[in-house]
Amino acid sequence: MKLKELLKEIPVVDIIGSDEVEITGVNIDSRRIKEGHIFVAMKGTQVDGHKFIPKAIELGAKAVLCEDMPAEKTVGVTYVQVASTEDVVGKVATTFHGNPSTKLKLVGVTGTNGKTTIATLLYNMFTKMGHKCGLLSTVCNYIVDEAVPADHTTPDPIALNELLDRMVKAGCEYAFMECSSHAIAQKRIGGLTFAGAIFTNLTRDHLDYHKTFENYRNAKKAFFDGLPKSAFAITNADDKNGMVMVQNTKATVKTYSTRSVADFKARIIECHFEGMYLEMDGHEVGVQFIGKFNVSNLLAVYGTAVMLGKNPEDVLVVMSTLHSVNGRLDPIQSPEGYTAVVDYAHTPDALENVLNAIHEVLDGKGHVITVCGAGGNRDKGKRPLMAQEAVKQSDRVIITSDNPRFEDPQAIINDMLAGLDKQQMKKVISIVDRREAIRTACMMAEKGDVVLIAGKGHEDYQDVQGVKHHFDDHEVVKECFLN
């Protein structure tokens, strides 16, 4: 593709060199540059990509897209200056890859909790309905049935468009993706065309990056503000920010709710650890999920499928066959008669939802022992809130390590314990070693009890000082059953 075609819809401040040069690839990582590529110099949160322009040229870049023109320029290289590379990189990536998001129906899911579950269930549902689909999620990306490892909740715009292009070439009719607040704020989804968008809920998270709750909320809202008139927006009417999200959207707005008037409604008839029996939009359906928050997730899936043209009865039939996403409320029955539940809950709201779901099933007939921690180098403000939420709905709590990253695990635990008073501390012990914490919780449990192991879910590693060591909560639980 000629450089001038790539820049057709980009507001250029200045250009030095020929725009007739042939571009063979687009990259924001100088290490991945090959002969004929254009290097996009991004001013990131950690490092300024402008520093790597010489390296990119050394590896074969024939053009550079930048905000600041380099003082020294290389002959034969075209330099394109724009006001913000962050604002245009998405459009450059979509143009280079032939606007793949317009060649399938792309649905984005945003919110604090539920993104992975909803996106994955939609992928599984439409696959069961006979469609070729793509998935972009925290756990893994899929192109039909080919698994592509995921490094971020939402990839960078170049990797994202490469994946969407591969989906189109593989014959995908639909793609379902998680849209994180970071991705929206950093314009990673810029240039994409969405057929629909889903809002799940909004609670405190990622304030280490966004600084204020308002910034976090506005990042999510920007996604809906940018939807085209042809799209639909499905929002959670039970969340106080649900209608805020869609107040300025051009898309067709639909609501879902478990407790108020909405376009899509549901209520629980019966609940067990094996699943629930629901009334959804006037129909009764059995599902293999538990908890009111999962009723909301299933409503979002149901509403989206209906908005994409599927028959409601067909949707419910397939929904009854779907399973929980790996690491989300995974129950493991012990030989001693207690239940261990592994869940990814790593925010106060998610922990509250999971504990609510457990109590709905127990109905006062067993004790709850919760093992939880908090991630290092992340929002410290939620640490005491996590401990408070765990204590509020548990009979015993063990505070332990999650992914400490570059922080001292004991210091993270101390931050959590600082949120508890003397009375609450009577329920709590702290064990830094996560394996030992899980073993202790299992030893405490008796027949009919539930041991909740929260925070890591599907993750099979523990991040310590920049090194990912193998660690799987499921495996540790099963080891406890054998001893």
Side-chain angles (χ1 to χ4, degrees):
M1 178 181 286
K2 298 281 187 189
L3 178 60
K4 66 179 180 183
E5 295 171 36
L6 200 59
L7 302 175
K8 200 157 37 179
E9 295 182 46
I10 304 300
V12 174
V13 174
D14 193 13
I15 184 165
I16 297 173
S18 171
D19 64 358
E20 292 289 337
V21 64
E22 193 71 29
I23 299 299
T24 60
V26 182
N27 250 307
I28 60 173
D29 186 341
S30 61
R31 296 167 296 185
R32 296 184 63 196
I33 291 289
K34 293 181 180 175
E35 187 67 30
H37 281 198
I38 182 171
F39 173 61
V40 184
M42 304 281 288
K43 289 186 176 178
T45 54
Q46 304 294 325
V47 68
D48 186 349
H50 288 73
K51 294 179 182 177
F52 302 105
I53 290 174
K55 179 67 176 176
I57 291 170
E58 185 186 316
L59 290 173
K62 292 302 177 194
V64 172
L65 191 64
C66 57
E67 294 177 24
D68 306 320
M69 280 286 190
E72 293 182 16
K73 299 171 185 66
T74 303
V75 175
V77 174
T78 303
Y79 296 83
V80 182
Q81 184 181 21
V82 294
S84 168
T85 47
E86 185 176 80
D87 286 347
V88 303
V89 65
K91 189 60 190 170
V92 169
T94 56
T95 301
F96 182 80
H97 288 286
N99 291 300
S101 62
T102 63
K103 297 172 183 174
L104 43 66
K105 290 183 177 178
L106 176 64
V107 176
V109 190
T110 197
T112 306
N113 303 310
K115 297 187 295 296
T116 302
T117 294
I118 292 169
T120 305
L121 292 182
L122 281 165
Y123 165 80
N124 290 338
M125 174 177 281
F126 277 74
T127 298
K128 282 175 177 275
M129 287 179 162
H131 301 285
K132 288 186 176 181
C133 302
L135 174 67
L136 295 149
S137 88
T138 303
V139 178
C140 190
N141 301 315
Y142 280 91
I143 300 168
V144 191
D145 55 1
E146 178 195 352
V148 181
D151 294 324
H152 297 89
T153 300
T154 312
D156 70 67
I158 292 158
L160 187 50
N161 278 279
E162 286 174 354
L163 284 165
L164 288 169
D165 188 29
R166 286 174 61 188
M167 289 175 190
V168 170
K169 287 171 179 169
C172 291
E173 300 169 71
Y174 300 91
F176 305 101
M177 71 177 288
E178 296 183 49
C179 296
S180 70
S181 57
H182 289 69
I184 299 165
Q186 294 168 8
K187 315 288 175 67
R188 285 188 231 158
I189 58 173
L192 298 184
T193 301
F194 286 89
I198 303 161
F199 171 72
T200 63
N201 48 62
L202 201 67
T203 59
R204 182 189 176 113
D205 201 15
H206 302 305
L207 298 197
D208 53 311
Y209 175 78
H210 294 289
K211 307 305 179 191
T212 69
F213 184 82
E214 288 71 26
N215 289 344
Y216 177 48
R217 181 190 64 202
N218 291 340
K220 300 284 190 188
K221 183 177 179 295
F223 177 39
F224 295 90
D225 291 350
L227 291 173
K229 193 175 180 180
S230 58
F232 61 83
I234 298 180
T235 191
N236 184 358
D238 294 336
D239 187 280
K240 63 183 179 182
N241 288 288
M243 299 316 293
V244 173
M245 288 294 136
V246 295
Q247 65 187 12
N248 299 118
T249 190
K250 300 184 198 73
T252 299
V253 175
K254 296 290 181 181
T255 58
Y256 64 93
S257 172
T258 61
R259 56 177 187 254
S260 60
V261 176
D263 296 298
F264 306 110
K265 284 202 66 179
R267 68 179 181 89
I268 299 172
I269 300 171
E270 289 179 23
C271 187
H272 313 278
F273 271 121
E274 293 74 30
M276 298 180 287
Y277 205 54
L278 307 177
E279 181 188 301
M280 186 172 286
D281 267 12
H283 302 275
E284 292 187 0
V285 60
V287 296
Q288 299 172 59
F289 299 82
I290 64 169
K292 286 180 182 174
F293 71 98
N294 266 326
V295 181
S296 289
N297 291 337
L298 292 169
L299 271 172
V301 170
Y302 172 81
T304 300
V306 170
M307 292 304 291
L308 287 170
K310 294 301 177 185
N311 180 279
E313 287 81 5
D314 294 341
V315 174
L316 293 173
V317 168
V318 177
M319 185 177 286
S320 68
T321 70
L322 298 177
H323 297 276
S324 179
V325 175
N326 181 33
R328 269 65 174 178
L329 263 172
D330 282 349
I332 311 169
Q333 298 297 328
S334 81
E336 286 78 23
Y338 67 85
T339 304
V341 174
V342 176
D343 193 87
Y344 188 55
H346 60 282
T347 66
D349 181 64
L351 193 56
E352 179 187 18
N353 284 336
V354 171
L355 285 165
N356 280 339
I358 289 169
H359 282 291
E360 285 164 21
V361 176
L362 282 179
D363 197 23
K365 293 171 185 165
H367 295 101
V368 177
I369 303 161
T370 296
V371 179
C372 68
N377 302 105
R378 297 292 187 269
D379 178 13
K380 291 186 178 184
K382 73 178 181 183
R383 292 175 186 175
L385 303 178
M386 290 286 290
Q388 289 165 12
E389 204 56 62
V391 168
K392 194 189 303 180
Q393 296 198 71
S394 307
D395 297 284
R396 295 300 302 273
V397 175
I398 302 176
I399 306 292
T400 189
S401 292
D402 191 308
N403 287 321
R405 300 185 177 88
F406 292 98
E407 283 195 69
D408 174 13
Q410 186 62 57
I412 299 170
I413 289 170
N414 292 344
D415 285 344
M416 295 183 73
L417 297 176
L420 305 176
D421 60 30
K422 284 184 180 179
Q423 191 63 32
Q424 290 172 318
M425 282 294 293
K426 291 178 181 178
K427 287 186 178 183
V428 179
I429 60 172
S430 63
I431 301 173
V432 173
D433 185 283
R434 188 174 181 91
R435 183 181 300 273
E436 194 56 39
I438 295 170
R439 288 177 62 86
T440 302
C442 289
M443 285 191 288
M444 288 178 177
E446 297 178 355
K447 185 176 180 180
D449 290 348
V450 174
V451 176
L452 169 62
I453 302 148
K456 296 183 61 59
H458 64 279
E459 292 178 352
D460 59 0
Y461 63 85
Q462 196 166 26
D463 189 338
V464 183
Q465 294 297 318
V467 179
K468 289 184 176 180
H469 304 270
H470 179 76
F471 193 99
D472 187 324
D473 286 350
H474 299 81
E475 289 177 7
V476 177
V477 169
K478 288 169 184 174
E479 285 169 13
C480 294
F481 292 173
L482 296 174
N483 297 329

